[in-house]
Amino acid sequence: MAETETTSPAETEALAARVAGKLRPGDVVTVAGELGSGKTTFVRGACRSLGVTSAVTSPTFTIGHRYEGDVAVSHLDLYRFANVSHAEWGDLEPYFDDAVAFVEWPEAGVGVLPPARVRVHMSHSGSDRRSIRIDCADPRV
Ligand code: ADP
Ligand code: MG
């Protein structure tokens, strides 16, 4: 487990890029934290380092995006879900297939999401400061 503080979006992206360097298809990364804490910024930095060149924005009107970078990269946002049902899981499952998958608002997916390799938790700590906790399921990251 590591706890860090960043002072700009660029710093958060750089931190995410370092984490992403250790990821491979099949890995799930949950990114939790309140609105505006920088979850999408973190995912953007990770996507860039995984070779994704298209715009990385919150998947507000769809469940998720799947990008082609150096590997396939999925980005899901479960904000609109109270609880993901097993039926809904059928729609989500393809995003996890052979991709590095980032999940914002993972709380709604408890019980159906595959186990996370990395759990990121972000919170505001004043103006442009964000405190970022990173828990890893194994020492590979
Ligand atoms: P979330 O997905 O958690 O709602 P976003 O990444 O969409 O958050 O938005 C975070 C906002 O906070 C952006 O406008 C970003 O520029 C700003 N910001 C300011 N400082 C930071 C920081 N240190 N890390 C990440 N984002 C920051
Ligand atoms: Mg977001």
Side-chain angles (χ1 to χ4, degrees):
M1 178 182 119
E3 178 116 34
T4 324
E5 203 167 71
T6 65
T7 58
S8 68
E11 222 182 294
T12 294
E13 290 190 22
L15 172 66
R18 285 203 297 281
V19 172
K22 310 273 176 47
L23 299 172
R24 43 179 95 148
D27 287 342
V28 174
V29 179
T30 57
V31 189
E34 61 215 280
L35 206 64
S37 59
K39 300 181 295 299
T40 299
T41 302
F42 185 97
V43 175
R44 184 177 300 121
C47 284
R48 289 287 172 260
S49 107
L50 291 167
V52 174
T53 54
S54 52
V56 176
T57 55
S58 263
T60 311
F61 300 107
T62 58
I63 298 171
H65 297 303
R66 187 169 167 127
Y67 308 107
E68 284 306 323
D70 302 328
V71 294
V73 183
S74 292
H75 179 194
L76 289 97
D77 188 325
L78 304 183
Y79 182 65
R80 288 165 302 122
F81 289 87
N83 268 108
V84 177
S85 67
H86 285 278
E88 289 164 331
W89 170 245
D91 295 330
L92 298 185
E93 195 282 330
Y95 288 99
F96 293 84
D97 192 23
D98 203 29
V100 176
F102 295 91
V103 184
E104 292 188 47
W105 297 102
E107 295 83 351
V110 170
V112 295
L113 286 184
R117 276 264 346 270
V118 181
R119 283 176 292 129
V120 179
H121 189 276
M122 310 200 48
S123 55
H124 289 88
S125 60
S127 61
D128 285 350
R129 288 182 176 276
R130 300 292 188 274
S131 105
I132 306 177
R133 201 180 69 233
I134 300 177
D135 299 294
C136 300
D138 71 50
R140 203 151 46 86
V141 166

